Amino acid sequence: MPRRRVVVVGAGIGGLTAAVALHRRGWNVTVCERAPEPPVTGAGIGLAPNALRALHAIGVDVTGVTGSAVPAAMGVRRTDGRWLTRTDTAELAARYGMPPIAVPRPALTVALTGALPAEALRHGTTVTAVDDAEGRPVVRTEEGPDLPADVVVAADGIHSPLRRAYFPAHPGLRYLGETAWRALVDAPDLGIQAMSETWGRGGRFGVTPLTDGRFYLYATAAVPAGHRFADPRAELRRRFGSWHDPIPALLDRVDRLAPTDVLHHDLHELAAPLPRLHHGRIAWLGDAAHAMAPNLGQGGCQAIEDAVVLAHLLPTGDGRDGDRRRDGSVGGTGGDGGDRGGDSGGGVDDAGRPDAVPAALAAYTAARRDRTDAVRVRARRVGRLGALRHPLAVAVRDLAVRATPTRLALRGMDDLFDGFRLPG
């Protein structure tokens, strides 16, 4: 009996996680990625306990490749260095069963691709369209040939062409009023032990120790959309060079980088939730499904959750559970506000197996849409706090953060860090 086939569009963290999870459930997996080769440079990514738990659910331990070192503490500071809130990482580990870690994105990519057959990844392959009109998707690529599939996973990023194609009435992205710079630096001599984010007036600066000994730096500022600076290193120095130690010393390391090693992107979120996270036999995940501000460090984490839940709900690739029926009337899969089409029906698949895919994708929407949208809204609100500019508003914000007991602050993170569940 032929195995079910999935084509994953995009080899980002969410797409690769979905590919690994479905490969381990017996699916024939093809990942189409337009980049000619895997990334060798880039920024860092935080893996909170919810994402680590999701990876463990599919048998992936990324620390074998990325390392497992964790900072001693994490928290928020003022520009003079005073801590507004600070939590020992050991306390987080005790509460959630594991501490958060931060890893270089390329290392995480290596960890995930290492769990796939080499022939599963097709770099330099640009997907031009997915034809789902007949209920059996066909993925069209510039390079050819066409790729028929039982399911297509749209993990094609924040500017997702597939999202625009299948939800044309959706308002798309919204600029959040901030731009962001990101860089990786070596600074082992500085003795930095904590993961911190410093809040100023209309700007933030983050310092995250990575598992390989480097530091992931990021900064934000309120500027018009699309505005760029001749030298991002000089702009970072101008804006943040007078802030507390070790920020000036870290900026010295940034000055040693090439200007192109400092990534610069405006921050956007999806302006409204998608009406559903699937269409026919296409499922959206990660930024393609629910692009959010990075303020909670949950963008990649939610993509990982999406991928693991999607694979869990889909039938196995060899059809052994193909006759396991699911209720296709689960909530959260209502009308699409004038967007194209709907869901294909049940029946049997091309191999004559009972077709559990449509109900599984409806269940995926029901399981993920509300959680991811709640995180998206929360991330935007946290960003607004960090971006306050009026001196009085900043003073009130800082006082409120300092006055919040640690136990209450941790309780407020429970739904994020301890919120991952596989549907029954």
Side-chain angles (χ1 to χ4, degrees), residues 292-293 296 298-299 302 370-380 416:
M292 62 184 67
L296 294 173
Q298 280 288 314
Q302 291 302 308
D370 288 349
R371 173 165 168 79
T372 55
D373 193 55
V375 177
R376 179 185 68 88
V377 172
R378 184 171 174 181
R380 184 206 316 143
L416 291 179

Side-chain angles (χ1 to χ4, degrees), residues 117-150:
E119 65 273 14
L121 283 106
R122 299 190 182 184
H123 283 91
T125 301
T126 301
V127 172
T128 57
V130 175
D131 182 0
D132 194 34
E134 301 301 322
R136 282 293 185 273
V138 177
V139 178
R140 318 283 185 190
T141 69
E142 283 186 357
E143 295 73 19
D146 294 341
L147 302 172
D150 294 286

Side-chain angles (χ1 to χ4, degrees), residues 179-240:
T179 198
W181 298 268
R182 295 174 293 159
L184 297 181
V185 300
D186 290 303
D189 55 306
L190 297 183
I192 301 170
Q193 299 296 320
M195 178 189 303
S196 65
E197 183 170 289
T198 300
W199 288 1
R201 292 173 51 188
R204 288 169 286 166
F205 196 100
V207 180
T208 302
L210 299 181
T211 53
D212 67 352
R214 291 182 294 172
F215 291 86
Y216 167 42
L217 311 180
Y218 61 90
T220 69
V223 299
H227 187 77
R228 292 296 178 265
F229 302 92
D231 186 343
R233 302 166 302 177
E235 185 63 22
L236 288 171
R237 174 74 64 180
R238 185 183 74 82
R239 290 179 178 271
F240 305 103

